Amino acid sequence: MRFVSLFLNNRLTLTPETLVNDFSLKAVPFSELLLIEQPPLNPTFQYDEKLQQILFGKSLLFDELSFTVEQIQQHYENGFVNYSPGISKTSNGYLCSRCGNEKSSLFAVFSCFRCKSDNCAYCRNCIMMGRVSQCTPLVSWSGPEVNWSRGNSLRWNGELSSGQQVASEEFVERIGSEGELLIWAVCGAGKTEVLFKGIEKALNLGLRVCIATPRTDVVLELAPRLKAVFPNTMVASYYGGSEERETLAQLVISTTHQLYRFRQAFNIMIVDEVDAFPYSYDKTLQHAVSCAVTSTHFLIYLSATPSRTMKKASISERLPCVKIPKRFHGFPLPVPNMVWGGEWKKRLERGKLPAPFLKWLKAQAESGRRAMIFVSSVAVLEKLTELIRKEVDVPVDSVHAEDSLRKEKVTQFRKDEIQLLVTTTILERGVTVPFIDVAVFGADHDVFTESALVQIAGRAGRSKDDYNGKVLLFHYGKSLSMIQAINHIKNMNKEARL
């Protein structure tokens, strides 16, 4: 988009080219404009509350707003909206203001219809959120803040275990202060319930809370639970395709990618599964978290498998930590059994299943129990699913990250409409389904790291009525990750005195 600089109310201001009738004024791409002082707030201006709700605490593209350019410009001229560069030139190349990307390999140029430039740079790192280019300003709210409700009662009659209670009290005590806290809790410890009292206190202090997680599946799992226990609170879930992204919510459950859109929005930020891919590897997602919080904020990390860096920080007391080594129902974590499965890759290529896996598969089908079968790639998933369907006469399906029916299939699995679900590591975290067993096909593959296998094993035995779910690692040679994962689980059970 091109803008012109002109005088309005004796002040130099910016105006989109389409709203200017004076053709003698030169229009240039937004990135070429000199920095101009933000127009002062006009207290007599009747601002649009819907625009306030959508923009408050966010930084969005014009294309993401269901308002005309003229309506947005009116709010800008009266000091209620601010424009800032989407892409800025630096001494080393470019900087994306939305995701913080500075890698030259993740920028490209194109012939832009809007700014008439043949070399308009844009950011490839966050392109899935809509294209940010040199000529696209980011729009943010600079008018009155939203006053949040303080009548947010928690409606939950459950009881916390002793470990959960300690973590909950630590969280509650720290609400209203700044700092960080790591809650290191085993899979199935009940991390979500630990958060309830702290969230309630924060909401009733008029603070805004976000629970961010790398996986959409976790958002879909958490949102209905939090809406149920906070019925008087505006709660919204943010993920790709969500219909609640324009909802003004005091409690937000979001994927970490959606945090690219937030700016100084949250007083309390809870990062769930902080060690999970892609958050643990992507510096721009970590940047998004730092940009989404207010200048004074409290950050809480949740993980069953924290990184070495976090472990060292907690041991040296640089990062306050509360550990929950026992599941809420008090029973041990299922310890995986390693099963030699032969050359599983070659067997698949020949259209056959390894004998030990086939034996387990038929027994599992006859038992009537559900099972999640984890594989290393989509290619293996497709082949394995095809072969499984030929061997057993029970409902079988598969799911992966790009599956358009992923949400529906997980729901069917929960409802026991699918007995055997073949999946990539996309479901290693955050999905709780009772009465299931777990198998890893090709557990010696590099994709199955220690943390991945610990999380996968954590899918079994999560119910007090079915705490002894089985976990089998089918392999062609024991990997270091397999051994480390089993030792990790045994050590947690030992620490819990189980």
Side-chain angles (χ1 to χ4, degrees), residues 190-196 199 211 222 225-226 272 302:
K191 296 191 294 291
T192 304
E193 290 77 10
V194 165
L195 302 174
F196 287 167
I199 291 175
I211 302 176
L222 289 178
R225 294 172 64 186
L226 288 160
D272 191 16
L302 307 177

Side-chain angles (χ1 to χ4, degrees), residues 273-333:
E273 306 293 359
V274 69
D275 62 297
F277 179 86
Y279 179 82
S280 58
Y281 294 91
D282 193 335
K283 297 297 183 184
T284 66
L285 291 177
Q286 296 165 31
H287 172 80
V289 168
S290 64
C291 289
V293 294
T294 54
S295 55
T296 55
H297 61 272
F298 183 71
L299 215 86
I300 181 168
Y301 305 108
L302 307 177
S303 180
T305 50
S307 66
R308 289 181 182 179
T309 302
M310 278 196 159
K311 288 178 183 177
K312 288 180 179 179
S314 65
I315 292 171
S316 64
E317 299 184 351
R318 289 182 288 111
L319 175 62
C321 176
V322 178
K323 205 169 184 181
I324 310 177
K326 186 188 295 187
R327 286 184 157 179
F328 76 95
H329 53 52
F331 293 100
L333 296 162

Side-chain angles (χ1 to χ4, degrees), residues 233-291:
T233 303
M234 286 301 298
V235 182
S237 56
Y238 280 67
Y239 57 91
S242 169
E243 296 179 356
E244 298 180 342
R245 286 185 293 174
E246 289 191 355
T247 302
L248 183 65
Q250 189 175 1
L251 175 56
V252 170
I253 305 99
S254 172
T255 60
T256 47
H257 276 91
Q258 291 295 326
L259 295 184
Y260 286 147
R261 293 190 165 105
F262 287 94
R263 286 293 181 275
Q264 298 189 355
F266 303 106
N267 310 99
I268 309 293
M269 174 65 72
I270 302 163
V271 185
D272 191 16
E273 306 293 359
V274 69
D275 62 297
F277 179 86
Y279 179 82
S280 58
Y281 294 91
D282 193 335
K283 297 297 183 184
T284 66
L285 291 177
Q286 296 165 31
H287 172 80
V289 168
S290 64
C291 289

Side-chain angles (χ1 to χ4, degrees), residues 48-106:
D48 191 306
E49 291 186 1
K50 179 65 175 177
L51 183 59
Q52 179 198 35
Q53 292 175 8
I54 295 173
L55 270 183
F56 183 75
K58 294 181 190 169
S59 187
L60 303 177
L61 301 169
F62 270 86
D63 292 345
E64 294 179 278
L65 297 167
S66 55
F67 290 82
T68 66
V69 173
E70 186 174 11
Q71 290 173 315
I72 298 170
Q73 178 65 16
Q74 287 176 348
H75 283 76
Y76 165 75
E77 291 174 357
N78 286 279
F80 286 77
V81 156
N82 182 48
Y83 298 151
S84 60
I87 303 291
S88 303
K89 283 187 177 182
T90 67
S91 57
N92 297 319
Y94 298 101
L95 168 67
C96 177
S97 300
R98 182 168 66 182
C99 72
N101 171 41
E102 292 183 282
K103 293 182 179 179
S104 56
S105 60
L106 292 177

Side-chain angles (χ1 to χ4, degrees), residues 377-395:
S377 68
V378 175
V380 173
L381 174 140
E382 293 173 346
K383 188 65 177 177
L384 186 65
T385 304
E386 177 188 346
L387 294 175
I388 289 174
R389 284 174 172 156
K390 292 177 180 178
E391 296 290 347
V392 295
D393 189 23
V394 299

Side-chain angles (χ1 to χ4, degrees), residues 6-296:
L6 52 79
F7 277 94
L8 180 69
N9 299 325
N10 296 318
R11 180 184 292 273
L12 190 63
T13 188
L14 307 177
T15 303
E17 179 184 23
T18 54
L19 302 181
V20 178
N21 295 320
D22 188 347
F23 297 105
S24 65
L25 295 171
K26 183 182 178 182
V28 297
F30 189 85
S31 60
E32 294 181 17
L33 292 166
L34 297 175
L35 291 178
I36 295 176
E37 186 180 346
Q38 169 77 6
L41 198 70
N42 177 7
T44 64
F45 178 71
Q46 294 296 311
Y47 66 89
D48 191 306
E49 291 186 1
K50 179 65 175 177
L51 183 59
Q52 179 198 35
Q53 292 175 8
I54 295 173
L55 270 183
F56 183 75
K58 294 181 190 169
S59 187
L60 303 177
L61 301 169
F62 270 86
D63 292 345
E64 294 179 278
L65 297 167
S66 55
F67 290 82
T68 66
V69 173
E70 186 174 11
Q71 290 173 315
I72 298 170
Q73 178 65 16
Q74 287 176 348
H75 283 76
Y76 165 75
E77 291 174 357
N78 286 279
F80 286 77
V81 156
N82 182 48
Y83 298 151
S84 60
I87 303 291
S88 303
K89 283 187 177 182
T90 67
S91 57
N92 297 319
Y94 298 101
L95 168 67
C96 177
S97 300
R98 182 168 66 182
C99 72
N101 171 41
E102 292 183 282
K103 293 182 179 179
S104 56
S105 60
L106 292 177
F107 287 98
V109 296
F110 72 114
S111 181
C112 181
F113 172 79
R114 290 180 173 179
C115 71
K116 319 303 181 189
S117 170
D118 291 330
N119 295 289
C120 184
Y122 69 96
C123 178
R124 294 171 52 238
N125 185 65
C126 58
I127 188 77
M128 80 293 288
M129 318 293 290
R131 183 161 56 194
V132 174
S133 65
Q134 283 182 286
C135 71
T136 52
L138 293 171
V139 185
S140 56
W141 185 256
S142 53
E145 293 189 1
V146 171
N147 293 317
W148 301 108
S149 169
R150 293 174 184 254
N152 301 276
S153 56
L154 171 66
R155 294 187 185 177
W156 183 66
N157 298 319
E159 294 184 6
L160 298 176
S161 67
S162 57
Q164 286 176 305
Q165 188 65 40
V166 171
S168 174
E169 290 174 359
E170 183 75 16
F171 183 29
V172 170
E173 184 179 338
R174 290 173 177 272
I175 295 297
S177 63
E178 296 182 63
E180 297 178 311
L181 174 68
L182 167 64
I183 295 182
W184 181 354
V186 296
C187 299
K191 296 191 294 291
T192 304
E193 290 77 10
V194 165
L195 302 174
F196 287 167
K197 284 292 185 179
I199 291 175
E200 180 186 36
K201 179 181 176 182
L203 296 175
N204 287 327
L205 288 173
L207 305 178
R208 196 179 189 193
V209 181
C210 177
I211 302 176
T213 175
R215 303 286 174 86
T216 298
D217 304 276
V218 181
V219 174
L220 295 173
E221 172 122 349
L222 289 178
R225 294 172 64 186
L226 288 160
K227 288 178 180 179
V229 298
F230 291 105
N232 300 320
T233 303
M234 286 301 298
V235 182
S237 56
Y238 280 67
Y239 57 91
S242 169
E243 296 179 356
E244 298 180 342
R245 286 185 293 174
E246 289 191 355
T247 302
L248 183 65
Q250 189 175 1
L251 175 56
V252 170
I253 305 99
S254 172
T255 60
T256 47
H257 276 91
Q258 291 295 326
L259 295 184
Y260 286 147
R261 293 190 165 105
F262 287 94
R263 286 293 181 275
Q264 298 189 355
F266 303 106
N267 310 99
I268 309 293
M269 174 65 72
I270 302 163
V271 185
D272 191 16
E273 306 293 359
V274 69
D275 62 297
F277 179 86
Y279 179 82
S280 58
Y281 294 91
D282 193 335
K283 297 297 183 184
T284 66
L285 291 177
Q286 296 165 31
H287 172 80
V289 168
S290 64
C291 289
V293 294
T294 54
S295 55
T296 55

